[in-house]
Amino acid sequence: MTESAAELHVRKSGFPPGPPRRTGVELEWLLIDPNDPAHPLSPPRLAAAADAVRLLPLRSALTVEPGGQLELSSPPAASLMRCVDAVDADLRLVRGRLRPLGLALAGYGLNPWQSPRRVVHSPRYAAMEAHFDRGGSAGRFMMAGTASTQICLDSGEREPGPLGQGRRWQLAHLLGAVLTATFANSPLQMGSPTGLRSTRQAVWAALDAGLAPAGAFADPAAAWAAHALDAPVMFIRTEQAPWITPRGLTFREWLRGAVPGLHPGLDDLDCHLSTLFPPVRPRGYLELRMIDAQPGADGWVVPLAVTATLFDDPAAAETAYRAVKQLAERAGTGPAPRNPLWRAAVRHGLADPELREVAEVCFRAALEALPRRGVSPAVREAVARFADRYVARGRCPADDLLDTWKEQHP
């Protein structure tokens, strides 16, 4: 495979053109014993829970993450409500299967109590851990201690406009900071406050694999392709474990023959792309990865409904874009999530006045558009309650966790 062929593949696979039609969501959950949430579950108990859930007739794909977190990835849905209904039905099955085992799903962006512990053993996760360990502990916390609500939306049309790829890409990276602040839900680590509202996003920001392409707004497909080829190779798969974990080797250098006797093919490139985790990841659609896992049985519905509406309803998308454009100067030229705008979102949540102001505009636009999108009264009411409880008061779910911690530690 040549460099030009590799670049073309990354561009085409990341940004297929077309009008936005589908909605998806990926929900990661921590598993806890509700009678003793802070107590770590044994690996056999986590494995038994995963085995039990695998037997269910789920429409969503089930993945067990390195720390035993469960992830449900919905199939692409033709509408927001079809996505909500399908995932809600799956979650009811999962919770019903876990209840007799004395277990429950918990929505936290970062495990508030425990140090990371990998319980899923595979050559891939072992190689990832070895790679991340060279840079400190953030990689282990990311792999084994984080959980998120990931929104998946079509990448958009080639033509300019509210639903064009360039506009949606820029909206994702500016609105992404607002979503981080609004739904921040990970202020605790190892039982104590970190000083951040979204410690999960700070963990991702510490990893080079979690950085967005710089200067990507003019041509997102070209910027993503260059970013991917110049990113370090996390591992090289071999027939026997452990896999090779090179130091400082970019995929472009690998293409140019830097590893004698091992030239990468298309499957190696696709594997490499799966090890890049920017806050907005092109995968044939846009995977928005910046939202913490949410509290409550249906807390995930609000970020899904708001985000999908702000992207896919033309009028709401235009309003959101105009609102977030004022944030571009504050973001500067640095890549998300390390630029000043994203750092403010991570630290302050909606206590940041500017982020709160933009969030209020975006929630109003979403609430106005939800009826046009055929969204049920129950979902509209959930969004309105969230707006009243958090956005209008400059708060986020992390503030509730901090209030509880302060009550317990006077």
Side-chain angles (χ1 to χ4, degrees):
M1 184 169 55
T2 63
E3 280 186 58
S4 59
E7 181 176 344
L8 182 63
H9 175 73
V10 176
R11 292 173 65 120
K12 287 187 173 181
S13 64
F15 290 90
R21 292 195 178 99
R22 301 166 300 168
T23 302
V25 67
E26 302 172 24
L27 302 178
E28 295 174 335
W29 302 89
L30 303 179
L31 274 178
I32 63 166
D33 182 338
N35 295 317
D36 190 4
H39 185 74
L41 300 178
S42 67
R45 197 174 180 190
L46 289 168
D51 290 341
V53 173
R54 286 191 183 99
L55 299 175
L56 294 171
L58 302 176
R59 282 177 280 184
S60 301
L62 173 70
T63 306
V64 181
E65 297 298 300
Q69 311 99 307
L70 295 184
E71 180 182 56
L72 292 180
S73 301
S74 76
S79 72
L80 172 59
M81 280 311 302
R82 288 187 182 182
C83 182
V84 170
D85 290 342
V87 176
D88 181 66
D90 283 345
L91 285 172
R92 291 177 187 274
L93 290 175
V94 172
R95 292 191 173 99
R97 182 57 60 90
L98 292 175
R99 198 172 297 117
L101 302 177
L103 297 174
L105 301 176
Y108 298 98
L110 179 75
N111 191 314
W113 309 288
Q114 300 154 23
S115 58
R117 178 189 50 161
R118 183 164 62 91
V119 299
V120 178
H121 301 284
S122 68
R124 176 184 173 91
Y125 288 149
M128 289 178 65
E129 188 175 79
H131 171 85
F132 287 131
D133 279 351
R134 294 168 182 162
S137 62
R140 293 198 177 211
F141 274 99
M142 177 276 287
M143 293 175 64
T146 61
S148 65
T149 299
Q150 299 174 13
I151 315 299
C152 302
L153 305 167
D154 285 322
S155 56
E157 302 168 332
R158 287 270 168 82
E159 295 77 13
L163 302 183
Q165 289 182 353
R167 173 73 69 85
R168 287 165 74 83
W169 184 252
Q170 186 173 15
L171 176 63
H173 285 85
L174 295 175
L175 181 63
V178 181
L179 297 174
T180 298
T182 303
F183 299 107
N185 188 39
S186 51
L188 305 176
Q189 188 174 27
M190 303 295 290
S192 298
T194 62
L196 308 174
R197 297 309 201 279
S198 181
T199 308
R200 183 197 66 87
Q201 187 57 68
V203 166
W204 282 102
L207 307 173
D208 287 342
L211 294 183
F217 295 160
D219 188 345
W224 171 244
H227 176 81
L229 296 189
D230 290 327
V233 174
M234 198 171 290
F235 52 76
I236 297 175
R237 296 170 297 175
T238 57
E239 292 184 1
Q240 294 182 340
W243 291 351
I244 299 170
T245 54
R247 289 179 178 268
L249 173 73
T250 69
F251 199 88
R252 193 184 303 278
E253 290 169 339
W254 191 11
L255 284 168
R256 293 176 177 177
V259 184
L262 287 174
H263 194 77
L266 183 61
D267 58 337
D268 295 304
L269 176 55
D270 285 335
C271 181
H272 171 65
L273 294 174
S274 75
T275 66
L276 304 179
F277 308 106
V280 183
R281 181 161 70 165
R283 302 186 65 186
Y285 51 90
L286 298 182
E287 183 185 74
L288 278 66
R289 305 174 50 86
M290 71 288 297
I291 301 172
D292 284 354
Q294 295 297 289
D298 58 358
W300 58 275
V301 173
V302 175
L304 172 61
V306 170
T307 305
T309 300
L310 293 177
F311 273 81
D312 291 351
D313 182 87
E318 185 65 26
T319 299
Y321 179 71
R322 290 178 180 176
V324 301
K325 275 188 69 176
Q326 65 181 304
L327 303 175
E329 183 176 353
R330 188 173 178 188
T333 59
R338 289 184 183 171
N339 65 47
L341 175 66
W342 282 72
R343 288 200 299 267
V346 164
R347 178 166 295 278
H348 303 296
L350 291 188
D352 182 281
E354 190 174 20
L355 289 169
R356 173 183 175 179
E357 177 185 350
V358 173
E360 289 178 327
V361 172
C362 289
F363 264 74
R364 285 196 297 270
L367 283 165
E368 181 180 325
L370 286 173
R372 296 196 295 268
R373 310 293 294 174
V375 173
S376 70
V379 172
R380 299 202 303 265
E381 290 168 9
V383 173
R385 286 196 304 270
F386 188 98
D388 290 340
R389 178 175 178 177
Y390 294 111
V391 180
R393 301 168 61 195
R395 289 175 60 88
C396 58
D399 292 306
D400 292 346
L401 293 176
L402 289 171
D403 289 346
T404 300
W405 187 90
K406 291 173 183 176
E407 291 174 1
Q408 297 171 348
H409 300 80

